Amino acid sequence: MLSPEELSRYSRNILLNEVKRAGQEKLKNSVVTVIGAGGLGSPALLYLGAAGVGSIRIIDSDILDTTNLQRQIIFKHSDIGRFKSEASSENLRSLNPYIRVEGIQARLTTENAKELLKGSDLVLEGSDNFDTKFLTNDICVEERIPFITAGVLRFEGMVMGVRPGMDACFRCVYENPPPPEHVPSCADAGVIGSMAGMIGTIQVTESIQFLLNDSERDSGLFGRILQVDSRSMEFRTISAVRRKDCIVCGALH
Ligand SMILES: [Zn+2]
C-alpha cells in the first residue's frame, strides 16, 4: 500500500497509463541489486530510488577517491575515503526515505555471488571489469534472474538485457572474457563522465519498464544490444542471437 506521501511523491509516475497506482505498487514491491556503485551505478541508483523501487541492494567493495567524482554523481566531495557501498546507500536514503537500501561492501566472487544476488527481481551490472560481467551472467542465468549489463569507455557505451532461457546471454555473444591486457579500463583510457551517465540512465529506464512487467513490450533491450558512440551520436541496436552450444544457457528452456 502506498501512503499519501508516496502517492504525492510518485504522482508523475502514477499519471502514466502504463504505471498507475498498481504499477507504482509493483515498483515498491521490487527488489533490485546493483553491482558497482560507479559511473553507471550512480545514475541507475539515483533513478531507481527516486522512482520508488522499494528494495535496492548495492554491491561494491571500493573506497571512494577523488578521481571517481568526475562521473560518480551519487557521491559528494565529503564522501572521499568512505566505502562506496556505505556512502551511496546513505545518500540514496536521504534522497528517498520511503525505500529500503542495503549497502553490501563486497566484491562479487564465485563464492558469494549466488548468495548476494538471490531474491533479486532484477540485477543491474555496471562494474568496470569483464570477470564481474561474466560472473554476473553465469550466476543470473543459473538462478534465472533477469539482468541488464552495461559498459562504457571513452566516448562509447553498450547496454544488453537478458531474460535467462529466453534471450541470448552475455556468453552467447562474447563467449569468454578477453585477456585483461587487451582491455583498456576507464582508469587507463578515460571516459566522458556524462557518457557513463547516459548509459546508466538507459540501463535504469529499461529496468523500470521491465519491473512494470510490460511483457507485451517487445522492442526494448532484452535480447538486444544497444551500442552508443557519442562522437557521432549514433545509437545502434542489434539482435543478440542465442547459441545452442552456449556453455551457460545452451540447455535452458
Ligand atoms: Zn548463452
Side-chain angles (χ1 to χ4, degrees):
M1 279 292 284
L2 295 159
S3 66
E5 292 81 10
E6 289 173 295
L7 288 172
S8 165
R9 172 179 282 256
Y10 307 127
S11 61
R12 298 304 185 272
N13 285 352
I14 295 168
L15 277 172
L16 293 163
N17 277 333
E18 293 79 358
V19 183
K20 295 190 173 163
R21 203 190 265 233
Q24 192 62 49
E25 281 172 3
K26 213 178 259 181
L27 292 181
K28 184 175 179 172
N29 294 327
S30 296
V31 180
V32 174
T33 302
V34 176
I35 300 169
L40 297 164
S42 285
L45 286 164
L46 288 169
Y47 277 113
L48 285 171
V53 170
S55 296
I56 300 173
R57 297 180 195 154
I58 306 167
I59 301 174
D60 198 297
S61 62
D62 291 345
I63 289 175
L64 188 76
D65 70 45
T66 318
T67 66
N68 300 141
L69 290 170
Q70 167 257 18
R71 63 199 175 286
Q72 302 185 11
I73 56 171
I74 199 168
F75 302 108
K76 296 173 289 194
H77 181 79
S78 56
D79 292 324
I80 291 170
R82 299 182 67 196
F83 280 114
K84 290 197 204 176
S85 53
E86 186 188 288
S88 60
S89 48
E90 196 177 293
N91 292 342
L92 199 50
R93 270 183 227 115
S94 71
L95 168 68
N96 188 349
Y98 298 95
I99 57 171
R100 279 189 301 276
V101 187
E102 187 189 356
I104 301 162
Q105 192 244 310
R107 188 180 173 86
L108 205 69
T109 64
T110 44
E111 286 74 37
N112 66 17
K114 206 176 279 190
E115 187 62 30
L116 292 180
L117 302 183
K118 202 167 61 182
S120 307
D121 295 306
L122 181 69
V123 168
L124 268 69
E125 191 284 321
S127 76
D128 59 357
N129 67 87
F130 276 98
D131 286 345
T132 302
K133 291 183 193 303
F134 277 90
L135 177 61
T136 303
N137 178 77
D138 297 353
I139 299 298
C140 284
V141 170
E142 190 183 328
E143 297 294 303
R144 297 208 173 228
I145 302 168
F147 66 98
I148 302 177
T149 185
V152 71
L153 190 68
R154 300 192 184 105
F155 294 85
E156 294 167 26
M158 64 78 70
V159 187
M160 174 186 179
V162 180
R163 293 162 296 188
M166 282 178 76
D167 305 314
C169 80
F170 198 69
R171 246 181 230 278
C172 288
V173 181
Y174 300 103
E175 226 165 327
N176 286 305
E181 63 273 20
H182 291 178
V183 191
S185 69
C186 291
D188 311 318
V191 64
I192 293 287
S194 62
M195 189 62 213
M198 182 153 89
I199 294 295
T201 308
I202 291 170
Q203 209 179 3
V204 66
T205 305
E206 186 66 8
S207 301
I208 287 167
Q209 294 182 85
F210 176 81
L211 294 171
L212 290 168
N213 202 13
D214 197 354
S215 54
E216 306 302 304
R217 187 168 156 272
D218 208 22
S219 55
L221 294 178
F222 284 87
R224 307 210 297 169
I225 303 168
L226 171 71
Q227 294 172 326
V228 179
D229 182 344
S230 70
R231 279 162 304 185
S232 56
M233 275 300 170
E234 271 179 340
F235 288 59
R236 201 159 67 108
T237 311
I238 53 172
S239 293
V241 181
R242 267 193 93 179
R243 289 170 46 137
K244 285 201 178 74
D245 62 344
C246 173
I247 54 162
V248 175
C249 80
L252 273 198
H253 300 291

